[in-house]
Amino acid sequence: MTETPPPRRARAEIDLGALRANVRTLRARVAPHVRIMAVVKADAYGHGAVRCARAALEAGADWLGTATPHEALALRAAGITDVPVMCWLWTPGDPWDRGIEAGLDMSVSGMWALREVVAAARATGKSARVQLKADTGLGRNGCQPADWPELVGEALRAEAEGLLKVTGLWSHLACADEPHHPSIAAQLDVFRSMLDYAEKAGVEPEVRHIANSPATLTLPEAHFDLVRPGIAVYGISPGPELGTSAELGLRPVMSLKAGVALVKQVPAGHGVSYGHHYVTGTETTLGLVPVGYADGVPRHASGRGPVLVGDTVRTIAGRVAMDQFVLDLGGETPEPGTEAVLFGPGDRGEPTAEDWAVAADTIAYEIVTRIGARVPRVYLGE
């Protein structure tokens, strides 16, 4: 992370003003009683977890969410101590004791995890905050309906001993980004049934939640007590079928830029980059852009990735290499150091992360999340 002026080699500009506006947009989509958990896992989808977490909280987020306990503990270590933080992807031997000491909400999907958190509670002498996750049909983490009675029963016994408090009941949707997919209604039915069982057994959760970004934006029946927007916080549409970022009232937060390192004239028939998958058709100029797959530029975008130089969107010529790629500039001769914009909000006609997702046959989530640590983040609007 850097506070210095933007480096010319490469930078990812993070517009915290846009992030705050996105959180306010999401807040307007839910009822006043529904709380918002801003998901900042994977270093806030590559945007920088601590700064983005603070900006989200400033804009009205109530909770923060991470995948791993280490991500959650890093937020606490950075001084974010006065809001609930939930982490959900635990593995055997993870630091349950540190999670309890830090007051984290820790997700439990099975008996092994419940046993470990109970042991940690006994060792620390403190009560754990536990959220029980139901597998309502996604088939990843979460407790199957057939095993739910055992998990709920054992959690309540531990709660009666003062070892933990069941603070939440939750699940995750598989196809919320596909409007009217039959699994959405089916999962909500299963979730309501599993909630009903747990609450009748005696669980009194603070929050019940299942809504991710697409459900936050389009499925009010899935909002319950809390919603968990992730990619929408960063201004990216959760799926093309739901609309573009602009149509959803969101603004992309990250812009990826680099300075052209070299411009040179080459003859017709000149091979470009490894394997010579691109050969110049005429005499032309080539521009070298000093970022590559080590920086997160997808190699799958070789020959397809769009880049704005000046007023023209060019396409990567040949293969993306580890540290660089080449553009055919069509005879234009921009000065070395001229800005090349890989993606941004699209205001100047530059490509967006969604354009790169199409070029690399992936999703925009991956495009922003994969931008590596070698690319400094420059924060705007702090």
Side-chain angles (χ1 to χ4, degrees), residues 220 257-258 350:
K257 303 177 180 180
E350 77 273 18

Side-chain angles (χ1 to χ4, degrees), residues 74-285:
L75 295 176
R76 290 292 197 232
I80 301 175
T81 58
D82 57 348
V83 296
V85 176
M86 181 183 174
C87 51
W88 46 76
L89 192 57
W90 292 79
T91 58
D94 268 344
W96 301 96
D97 52 348
R98 293 173 59 199
I100 294 170
E101 297 281 0
L104 303 181
D105 276 55
M106 302 177 291
S107 181
V108 166
S109 294
M111 290 302 301
W112 74 264
L114 186 62
R115 286 190 289 268
E116 290 205 4
V117 75
V118 164
R122 293 188 192 280
T124 60
K126 295 185 176 181
S127 179
R129 291 177 59 88
V130 168
Q131 297 208 22
L132 302 181
K133 185 177 184 184
D135 181 359
T136 56
L138 179 59
R140 299 191 318 191
N141 219 352
C143 180
Q144 279 282 297
D147 301 322
W148 190 243
E150 180 187 19
L151 184 65
V152 168
E154 289 301 316
L156 285 170
R157 277 186 275 279
E159 187 173 82
E161 290 184 52
L163 297 169
L164 61 84
K165 166 63 179 169
V166 179
T167 57
L169 301 170
W170 74 292
S171 189
H172 196 56
L173 292 165
C175 304
D177 57 342
E178 301 177 45
H180 312 299
H181 193 284
S183 70
I184 297 171
Q187 280 196 257
L188 288 174
D189 284 345
V190 174
F191 188 49
R192 292 187 187 99
S193 174
M194 295 175 80
L195 289 177
D196 184 63
Y197 177 88
E199 290 168 356
K200 285 181 177 177
V203 176
E204 297 178 354
E206 297 174 16
V207 287
R208 303 161 300 159
H209 50 107
I210 193 172
N212 51 8
S213 283
T216 300
L217 290 162
T218 66
L219 295 170
E221 66 270 29
H223 289 175
F224 293 91
D225 306 308
L226 178 146
V227 294
R228 303 188 311 270
I231 198 67
V233 170
Y234 310 100
I236 293 175
S237 170
E241 294 184 49
L242 302 179
T244 65
S245 296
E247 289 168 344
L248 294 169
L250 304 172
R251 181 172 175 80
V253 172
M254 181 189 289
S255 296
L256 181 62
K257 303 177 180 180
V260 176
L262 176 70
V263 177
K264 62 183 177 183
Q265 192 164 4
V266 297
H270 199 295
V272 177
S273 197
Y274 292 124
H276 284 184
H277 290 271
Y278 183 86
V279 177
T280 58
T282 61
E283 183 179 26
T284 189
T285 48

Side-chain angles (χ1 to χ4, degrees), residues 9-24:
R9 189 192 77 84
R11 65 191 182 275
E13 294 179 354
I14 310 300
D15 184 350
L16 296 177
L19 188 147
R20 294 186 194 96
N22 294 334
V23 172
R24 289 192 289 269

